[in-house]
Amino acid sequence: MAEPRWDVQCHDPFGRDRALTVIVERGKVVLVPPPGASAVLSAQQTRRLRQALDQAAGRATEP
């Protein structure tokens, strides 16, 4: 079965479309930044990231 994965849309400092990826791997939450390791998020995108992290944390604690 594939690991749970959430993609949160964002931009880089130059305004290009990017995404932060949240995955659960072996009971750990992994946050993968976009190329350049910098992400600019709107308030709505920040709420989406929070939601993805909450869901990932719940999945990481499942047996």
Side-chain angles (χ1 to χ4, degrees):
M1 184 166 104
E3 291 89 7
R5 175 188 177 129
W6 297 263
D7 290 316
V8 179
Q9 299 306 309
C10 62
H11 293 93
D12 67 11
F14 304 102
R16 296 177 291 205
D17 290 337
R18 298 287 187 243
L20 287 165
T21 301
V22 179
I23 59 174
V24 176
E25 186 174 311
R26 289 183 250 140
K28 302 288 183 186
V29 177
V30 181
L31 181 60
V32 182
S38 198
V40 179
L41 289 84
S42 67
Q44 181 178 4
Q45 290 165 330
T46 302
R47 285 188 287 277
R48 175 66 184 115
L49 176 60
R50 181 186 67 209
Q51 180 184 32
L53 289 171
D54 285 344
Q55 291 173 358
R59 294 292 293 267
T61 59
E62 291 178 358

